[in-house]
Structures are given as C-alpha cells and as structure tokens.
Amino acid sequence: MRDPEPMRAHVMFVISGLEIGGAERQLVVTANALAERGWKVSVVSYLPFSATSLRWELNDSKVNTITLNSPSGIGKYGVVIKAVRTIRRSRPDILVGFMFHGIMTARIVGRLTRVPAVVSAIHSELDTPKRERILALTDRMTDAVTIMSDHLASRLADRRIAAPSHTFVIPNTVDFDRFRADSCRTRTRENLGVTDDQFLWLAAGRLAPEKDYPGLIRAFSILPRQHPAHLIIAGEGLLRDDLTRQIDDLGLSDRVQLLGLRGDMPDLYRASDALVLSSEWEGMPNVVLEAMASSIPVVSTAVGAVPELVTNGESGFIVPTGDRISLADAMERMMDLPVETRRSFGEVGYNRARAEFSLDPVIDRWEDLFNRLLESKARGRST
C-alpha cells in the first residue's frame, strides 16, 4: 500500500448537519480553504440540506458534498449502515468528526472501515453528562482531538474528555473580507427602524437555552431609560415564542427585535454599536470573532474562550456567567463611553483578531496536524 502524499490526501469531514451555527461555519471555512490548497475534500452530513443550509457556501467545484438524508434520526440503524458504506467507498485518508454525532461517527465508523487517521473536532465547552461520558470512554479511538483554545483544552483534560497527549489547539478563524467595512451602516439602521441617537446592541446565535436570551432581555430591560437603546437578536430556534412573550410582557416590543435567520450579518455588525453575548457556555464563539473583525466592541459573559479573545477594559467588558445585574452594568458602562473610546475598543479587537485568527495561519495548523498524522501512519506501516 503506497503512502498518501500529504498535500493530495483525502480529508473527509462528517457532521450531523450544516444548518447555520458556529461549528458548522468553521467546517465550511476549513473545508473550502483546504480544497483551495490542493487537498481532496469531502463533507458528509447526516441531515438533508435546507434552503438556509451552509452547504451552499461550500465550493461545489472543489468540495464533494454528501448527504445521508436522515431527517428522522442520526442514530437509526439504517443510516449508520449508510455512513459505513459511504466512508468505506470513499476511502478517506483522514476522517474528521465535527460535533458529537460527527465525532462518534469518525471514531466508530472510522475504526470499522480502517481509515488511517481519525480526528475529533470539539467545539463546545460543555455537553450533556451522558455525552461527556461517551466522549471520555471513546477518547482512545481518536488519533487527535482539536480544541479551540488552551483554556478549553485544560478544562476538557481535567474532566478526562480529551487526553493532553493527543490534543491540538486550533482556534476558530474569521473571514475578514466578508466583514470589511463599507458605507451601509445608515441604510441598515434605517431598515431596522433605529435612529442615529439610539445605541444599537447586536446579539446573534440560535434561540437556544445555552444562549440565555431571557437573561439578556431582562438585563436590557433594567438599563436606565436615559440611554436610548435598541437590541436586535439575529437567529432562530425553539425559544422564539417564549422570547416574544417575554419581550411583550416587559413592554419592550418597540426596542427589542427578533430578526430570525439573516443573510446580511456583516451589515448588521457594521450597523451596530456593540455586540452582547449572554451565553451560559460556549466554545470559541464565532460572533465574538466576527464582531472583532467588524471593529465593534464586545460585552460578554466569561464563557469558553471569550477571556482569550476579549481584553477586559480594552476591547470590551467581561462579566460573570448568569449575572444579569453585572451584564446590565457592563452594557451601561459601554454605552457611557465616549464614541472615540468605543472606536478604540473596536480597533484593539480588530488588531488582535487580525494577528491571531486570520484564515491562513489557522489553516496552516490544520495542515500541519494532518501531515503529522499521515507521516506517523506511514512510519508505522513501514516498520
């Protein structure tokens, strides 16, 4: 059996689905970039692709996309057999699992089909206790675990979810070209019904419990009324009706908007004065990187890798998780800052993101990991 050439090896990513989300977007960006560099790249999704799927951002001419079309459940026996057949037929050199179901597929199916190298990409600080136990028990089935920050790697090592011996820190990346500044700020604010004198807060992400949008809305409601402020929340999810009721009950329907899924996120960042993140847990949140790339300051809870992204008091403010009073206080402090100081915060964040989280250096890390794994496997076969 001949050794694969690293720059022409076949990398296959597997994930539960490609609906809009942080881990999903990182997969798309990474897959496209690796394909541009000459790797053979495939992406396997258990779930079918919807009209809003990030699948449509994959480069069709260079990335092979496969759906197992399993709308009724990922763990069904038939679809697992289909995954085994797909991976065996495709014969990837490296199988990379994203998110829990993708990781478990890479570990179990990858071993069953004798894929040379298996990688598990963990993109969240926390999961359910049951899933964490499964990840810990199957950690030996992976050749490498990628985690977005040193802090998260340490946390997962302490909980015995990922052994330090095969853990590699590869941060998320952001497409600076996508978030470059232009002159659409005024037009976007007009379309949102936001006036020039209103401070516009942006929150973005799935309407899911871990984002603690009820806490954010409550914090926004206690901001002093002398601050003319508006809050927009971009995202969709199961909590929409509950959040709508809360907004109505607090009398905020004229100041808080649930925007749903949006295809104009760069415009929303540029129209906003600051990003606010109220999450109870995260990995390395894309929204914070995108805000930094858009040169706007951040107020966030101290979750996941946020303390490694945001310099407290220089590019934003960080508050304890779940503390709505502290969140409101930090939002008020941000609104009280002179415009020039807020711009300085945004510039600090931009320069930090540009230096550490640009696309090329991050893809270099992925390539280095893949090459090391393939070279190790080649040495093992030759002995």
Side-chain angles (χ1 to χ4, degrees), residues 181-188 270:
D182 64 15
S183 59
C184 70
R185 173 183 168 89
T186 299
R187 183 177 68 252
T188 302
R270 289 191 289 271

mmCIF file of all heavy atoms in Angstrom, residues 181-188 270:
data_model
loop_
_atom_site.group_PDB
_atom_site.id
_atom_site.type_symbol
_atom_site.label_atom_id
_atom_site.label_comp_id
_atom_site.label_asym_id
_atom_site.label_seq_id
_atom_site.Cartn_x
_atom_site.Cartn_y
_atom_site.Cartn_z
ATOM 1 N N ALA A 181 -15.377 46.799 6.190
ATOM 2 C CA ALA A 181 -16.289 47.943 6.367
ATOM 3 C C ALA A 181 -16.694 48.552 5.026
ATOM 4 O O ALA A 181 -15.930 48.561 4.072
ATOM 5 C CB ALA A 181 -15.619 49.006 7.221
ATOM 6 N N ASP A 182 -17.907 49.035 4.947
ATOM 7 C CA ASP A 182 -18.344 49.834 3.810
ATOM 8 C C ASP A 182 -19.344 50.873 4.328
ATOM 9 O O ASP A 182 -19.415 51.125 5.526
ATOM 10 C CB ASP A 182 -18.900 48.973 2.674
ATOM 11 C CG ASP A 182 -20.157 48.206 3.068
ATOM 12 O OD1 ASP A 182 -20.761 48.555 4.108
ATOM 13 O OD2 ASP A 182 -20.535 47.272 2.350
ATOM 14 N N SER A 183 -20.116 51.471 3.466
ATOM 15 C CA SER A 183 -20.937 52.621 3.864
ATOM 16 C C SER A 183 -22.402 52.270 4.101
ATOM 17 O O SER A 183 -23.263 53.140 3.989
ATOM 18 C CB SER A 183 -20.841 53.696 2.771
ATOM 19 O OG SER A 183 -21.292 53.177 1.530
ATOM 20 N N CYS A 184 -22.717 51.026 4.460
ATOM 21 C CA CYS A 184 -24.128 50.634 4.545
ATOM 22 C C CYS A 184 -24.724 50.828 5.932
ATOM 23 O O CYS A 184 -25.883 50.501 6.161
ATOM 24 C CB CYS A 184 -24.289 49.172 4.130
ATOM 25 S SG CYS A 184 -23.584 48.022 5.326
ATOM 26 N N ARG A 185 -23.958 51.362 6.898
ATOM 27 C CA ARG A 185 -24.430 51.478 8.277
ATOM 28 C C ARG A 185 -25.750 52.249 8.372
ATOM 29 O O ARG A 185 -26.719 51.779 8.980
ATOM 30 C CB ARG A 185 -23.357 52.152 9.126
ATOM 31 C CG ARG A 185 -23.807 52.473 10.555
ATOM 32 C CD ARG A 185 -22.703 53.213 11.292
ATOM 33 N NE ARG A 185 -23.181 53.782 12.551
ATOM 34 C CZ ARG A 185 -23.163 53.143 13.707
ATOM 35 N NH1 ARG A 185 -22.687 51.915 13.778
ATOM 36 N NH2 ARG A 185 -23.607 53.728 14.802
ATOM 37 N N THR A 186 -25.811 53.413 7.764
ATOM 38 C CA THR A 186 -27.006 54.249 7.875
ATOM 39 C C THR A 186 -28.212 53.553 7.261
ATOM 40 O O THR A 186 -29.307 53.531 7.849
ATOM 41 C CB THR A 186 -26.773 55.606 7.191
ATOM 42 O OG1 THR A 186 -25.681 56.266 7.840
ATOM 43 C CG2 THR A 186 -28.021 56.470 7.278
ATOM 44 N N ARG A 187 -28.030 52.969 6.081
ATOM 45 C CA ARG A 187 -29.148 52.297 5.410
ATOM 46 C C ARG A 187 -29.672 51.125 6.239
ATOM 47 O O ARG A 187 -30.891 50.931 6.364
ATOM 48 C CB ARG A 187 -28.702 51.824 4.030
ATOM 49 C CG ARG A 187 -29.844 51.169 3.224
ATOM 50 C CD ARG A 187 -29.391 50.783 1.830
ATOM 51 N NE ARG A 187 -28.406 49.694 1.837
ATOM 52 C CZ ARG A 187 -27.123 49.831 1.571
ATOM 53 N NH1 ARG A 187 -26.623 51.040 1.306
ATOM 54 N NH2 ARG A 187 -26.300 48.798 1.581
ATOM 55 N N THR A 188 -28.771 50.334 6.795
ATOM 56 C CA THR A 188 -29.199 49.182 7.592
ATOM 57 C C THR A 188 -29.964 49.632 8.823
ATOM 58 O O THR A 188 -30.999 49.046 9.171
ATOM 59 C CB THR A 188 -27.971 48.343 8.001
ATOM 60 O OG1 THR A 188 -27.270 47.926 6.836
ATOM 61 C CG2 THR A 188 -28.403 47.118 8.790
ATOM 62 N N ARG A 270 -21.870 46.020 11.160
ATOM 63 C CA ARG A 270 -21.417 47.377 10.853
ATOM 64 C C ARG A 270 -22.435 48.432 11.299
ATOM 65 O O ARG A 270 -22.080 49.566 11.593
ATOM 66 C CB ARG A 270 -21.126 47.515 9.357
ATOM 67 C CG ARG A 270 -19.874 46.745 8.934
ATOM 68 C CD ARG A 270 -19.471 47.120 7.529
ATOM 69 N NE ARG A 270 -20.369 46.602 6.520
ATOM 70 C CZ ARG A 270 -20.244 45.412 5.944
ATOM 71 N NH1 ARG A 270 -19.256 44.610 6.291
ATOM 72 N NH2 ARG A 270 -21.086 45.009 5.024
#
